[in-house]
Amino acid sequence: MRVQSLTLAAAGATLLAPATLPAPAASYAAPGVRHRISATDLLARVRDCTQVSRGRFRSDADTAATVPVCGTRQVVFWKADLDIDCDGQRTAHCNRAADPAFTAATAYQQSNGRQLNAEKLPYVVVPGPSRRWNHRKSGVRGGAIAAVIYKGRVQYAVVGDTGPRDIIGEASYATAKALGVNPDPRVGGVPSGVTYIVFKDSAIRPIEDREAAEAEGERLAEQFTGGG
């Protein structure tokens, strides 16, 4: 779980790296093929917030708690920043040298018992259960399908990790990269403008099956939007 100061992250990003990478033409699982359900279709369904959390969340440790978790019959959603989670398996870009906050564990594991691979698997992080909001009571568990939306792009992911009980707005290296966001765990991410939609009572097994998550995400999104 990465918890960073927006001020420091923004300054580092300005000095060391561009805020975004070139926008991908399509999803990772289906190069050259656009999603049937667009970002516009999904965002139209989450314009209004019926708050399901008892309180609001911080986007970073040094920010005010301004982010509610909202819900409908089919989904829960929130609009926040995107910090980079590089936890889990050690890889070329996710390790202690690349990320001082690196932890070699994720809340949920692959079918073979290994930790998730943040560099390869698009996943999102949800706050740990608390009186403020218990994701399990909202039908959200490990492997649940999420649609992550940023600047007109949609990336389907799974719920793969949990973080601090009072902070929200984080996704894996692979999620950020697929959205065209700088995935560097030190200076990457974006400070706002990201929408997370998690489909209630959904699940991918095995959790690491990226193509299955894409296919199921498309199906659930189409169902949620009434066909787009």
Side-chain angles (χ1 to χ4, degrees):
M1 170 68 194
R2 179 177 172 80
V3 180
Q4 65 178 3
S5 162
L6 287 180
T7 301
L8 292 175
T14 300
L15 292 172
L16 299 177
T20 58
L21 297 174
S27 72
Y28 183 98
V33 178
R34 292 184 179 276
H35 288 124
R36 295 192 304 274
I37 305 303
S38 70
T40 301
D41 296 329
L42 286 164
L43 292 175
R45 294 299 311 276
V46 295
R47 280 196 297 256
D48 301 319
C49 176
T50 299
Q51 186 168 327
V52 296
S53 57
R54 292 187 177 182
R56 299 190 175 205
F57 291 86
R58 303 174 187 274
S59 58
D60 287 286
D62 60 353
T63 61
T66 61
V67 182
V69 174
C70 312
T72 73
R73 183 176 58 84
Q74 294 169 285
V75 306
V76 292
F77 64 94
W78 55 93
K79 301 176 183 182
D81 64 344
L82 193 160
D83 291 333
I84 308 300
D85 189 313
C86 237
D87 294 342
Q89 294 182 37
R90 290 180 177 85
T91 65
H93 295 99
C94 290
N95 53 65
R96 181 68 67 182
D99 180 7
F102 175 79
T103 300
T106 47
Y108 306 103
Q109 288 73 47
Q110 296 182 165
S111 54
N112 61 3
R114 296 190 68 190
Q115 306 301 321
L116 301 185
N117 185 327
E119 188 173 338
K120 291 185 177 180
L121 180 68
Y123 69 73
V124 300
V125 181
V126 295
S130 70
R131 287 180 56 82
R132 184 182 282 108
W133 181 54
N134 185 336
H135 58 274
R136 299 188 189 103
K137 291 183 178 180
S138 291
V140 175
R141 293 174 173 79
I145 297 294
V148 189
I149 304 167
Y150 180 66
K151 288 190 174 181
R153 308 179 186 96
V154 180
Q155 176 60 43
Y156 294 109
V158 293
V159 172
D161 205 359
T162 59
R165 295 177 178 180
D166 63 339
I167 294 177
I168 204 166
E170 187 175 13
S172 68
Y173 183 106
T175 307
K177 186 175 180 180
L179 289 170
V181 172
N182 183 352
D184 188 308
R186 287 180 180 267
V187 298
V190 289
S192 63
V194 181
T195 299
Y196 302 78
I197 302 172
V198 183
F199 297 95
K200 293 180 178 180
D201 300 314
S202 62
I204 285 296
R205 297 289 183 271
I207 194 173
E208 68 271 19
D209 190 335
R210 184 169 180 165
E211 291 187 5
E214 281 280 344
E216 181 66 357
E218 283 279 288
R219 186 188 73 81
L220 291 169
E222 188 165 17
Q223 187 178 76
F224 179 54
T225 60

